[in-house]
Amino acid sequence: MKYLSTRGQSPIAEFEDVLLAGLAPDGGLYVPQEWPLLSADEIASCSSGKYADTAASILSQFTGGVFSEERLHEIASDVYGAFDHPETAPLTQVSDEDWILELYHGPTLAFKDFAMQILGRLFDDVLNKHNKRLTIVAATSGDTGAAAIDALKTCEFVDVVVLHPEGRVTDVQRRMMTTIDAPNVHNIAVKGAFDDCQAIVKEMFADQAFVDAVSLSGVNSINWGRLAAQIVYYFTAANTLMKAREPINFVVPTGNFGDVFAGYVAKKMGLGIDKLVVATNMNDILHRAITTGDYAPAEVLPTYSPSMDIQVASNFERLIFDACDRDSDAVRGLMTEFMTNGKMHLPDNMRSRISDDFISFATSEDVTLEEIKRHYVETGSLIDPHTAVARVAARQLRTDGKLAGKTVTLSTAHPAKFPDAVKKATGQTPALPTAHEGLF
């Protein structure tokens, strides 16, 4: 497995290089030279065991022999064995054709744990082999920072620096980042929004001399290793539901486009996925881009779902690359337009290609709270606001006739990470799991 940059001006890279670099030297994002395609039998085989079995099988498609499948299985078993649910990523049925995929049973109660915990172990193995040290810099809207710190706090060869927007994360998110007593962990609060944090990180990566001097790398979803680990739960969820082999829809609350792009990769690998729904809050740049072609950042509005308060979605460039038949010249042209004008417009043929796989929906704050309440009244269960955004999208698109058949909504965070929004909607304060009772 070899990797190339979406902008076409970096050398072809091996998995180790991609893992340690994060961003390509030309400013582009790494993607595999070609998507691995699995047969129906291979998909059934790799998804038939425990979650760790599937993780090892899927990750081995991307590591290019750097890690044996046995080593990947060992790592995955250790990582996912520590999650607090025996199924790791359980499905809960909420109506005849609707399920919720619970992705919050890891150590920081968010879907980021699925990839970040794996990434930390891969980093340590590679760095130990080459006797190298790495400086990880991460911008976070709340969950990535906590997940990165928890995953990397014991890494012998990694220093981690996390930038979060001051006052724009919940107290639970902030404390998960700032109460870890580890000498290799450093936190910085930035006066601004997540996009300001992300811009600082991108500016660092653009300075190649600085990158080399501090051995800089990243664990945001620009890092391909993280996306590869997120592909796994699409396979495990689909395998549970696809007894009749009809395609399944996935509805994903997303801001930086990494989680939903992992679903796209799963589809390219042969998994039976019909539509991928991009569910956004009022920070709806992805919805506007998919529906009209206009990719123009607006002011970042603070919402009840802060992990999606993003107006520049880094991973969207990976989709643009595929949507223009992997024409890196076209990608560079669009990204230059974006850097010059602060916006860009997707050509109609590219938007048409995107609509083959994706539909989108944007949700207001009031409707998000209404959905948290509705779900609680009807099911007796609490959901976090990001999950609520996605459930609104799933329900409305089904009502509008744009979504049909089995549909899985990704529940990306535990409701206790966003207690104020949940209490405002339901009057109930979600309790933190036992492992986090001492957080405050």
Side-chain angles (χ1 to χ4, degrees), residues 100-104 111 251 253 383-384 387 409-414:
I100 287 179
L101 179 62
E102 298 176 4
L103 299 176
Y104 50 73
F111 79 100
V251 185
I383 55 174
D384 89 291
T387 306
T409 298
L410 272 59
S411 183
T412 52
H414 194 288

Side-chain angles (χ1 to χ4, degrees), residues 12 31 77 113 162 187 231 247 327:
I12 300 299
V31 293
S77 296
D113 291 324
V162 172
N187 288 280
I231 296 167
D327 181 347

Side-chain angles (χ1 to χ4, degrees), residues 137-350:
V137 178
T140 185
S141 51
D143 286 336
T144 291
I149 287 168
D150 189 86
L152 301 174
K153 64 187 179 184
T154 60
C155 286
E156 186 178 353
F157 305 97
V158 175
D159 291 297
V160 56
V161 181
V162 172
L163 289 74
H164 73 268
E166 186 177 35
R168 295 202 181 197
V169 300
T170 71
D171 276 351
V172 173
Q173 290 174 313
R174 180 177 60 80
R175 285 172 180 265
M176 282 186 172
M177 289 187 281
T178 59
T179 59
I180 300 298
D181 185 15
N184 66 329
V185 170
H186 312 278
N187 288 280
I188 298 173
V190 175
K191 293 185 183 301
F194 167 78
D195 286 345
D196 299 305
C197 301
Q198 186 162 254
I200 292 170
V201 173
K202 286 184 175 180
E203 188 175 353
M204 289 187 210
F205 275 102
D207 185 342
Q208 193 58 47
F210 179 73
V211 170
D212 294 340
V214 301
S215 299
L216 192 67
S217 185
V219 290
N220 282 79
S221 53
I222 56 174
N223 189 304
W224 177 258
R226 191 174 134 185
L227 279 188
Q230 289 173 246
I231 296 167
V232 178
Y233 42 73
Y234 288 92
F235 277 85
T236 60
N239 185 63
T240 301
L241 300 180
M242 285 175 61
K243 304 306 180 186
R245 297 301 172 198
E246 70 270 33
I248 295 170
N249 307 298
F250 284 90
V251 185
V252 187
T254 190
N256 221 15
F257 205 73
D259 203 11
V260 74
F261 188 79
Y264 172 77
V265 178
K267 184 174 182 178
K268 299 298 282 187
M269 293 174 71
L271 191 62
I273 295 176
D274 184 9
K275 291 296 185 182
L276 292 155
V277 178
V278 175
T280 75
N281 59 24
M282 294 190 303
N283 297 292
D284 62 350
I285 185 170
L286 288 169
H287 175 57
R288 289 183 279 116
I290 290 169
T291 54
T292 70
D294 287 325
Y295 189 85
E299 178 187 358
V300 179
L301 302 171
T303 72
Y304 295 123
S305 46
S307 297
M308 300 159 65
D309 291 349
I310 296 170
Q311 286 283 2
V312 181
S314 290
N315 282 287
F316 199 54
E317 182 173 333
R318 284 186 164 114
L319 181 62
I320 290 172
F321 181 65
D322 251 25
C324 65
D325 293 319
R326 300 194 148 210
D327 181 347
S328 56
D329 292 337
V331 174
R332 284 201 311 278
L334 283 169
M335 299 315 295
T336 298
E337 176 189 342
F338 181 70
M339 293 298 293
T340 303
N341 303 323
K343 60 183 179 180
M344 62 182 172
H345 186 80
L346 305 181
D348 288 344
N349 64 327
M350 188 181 297

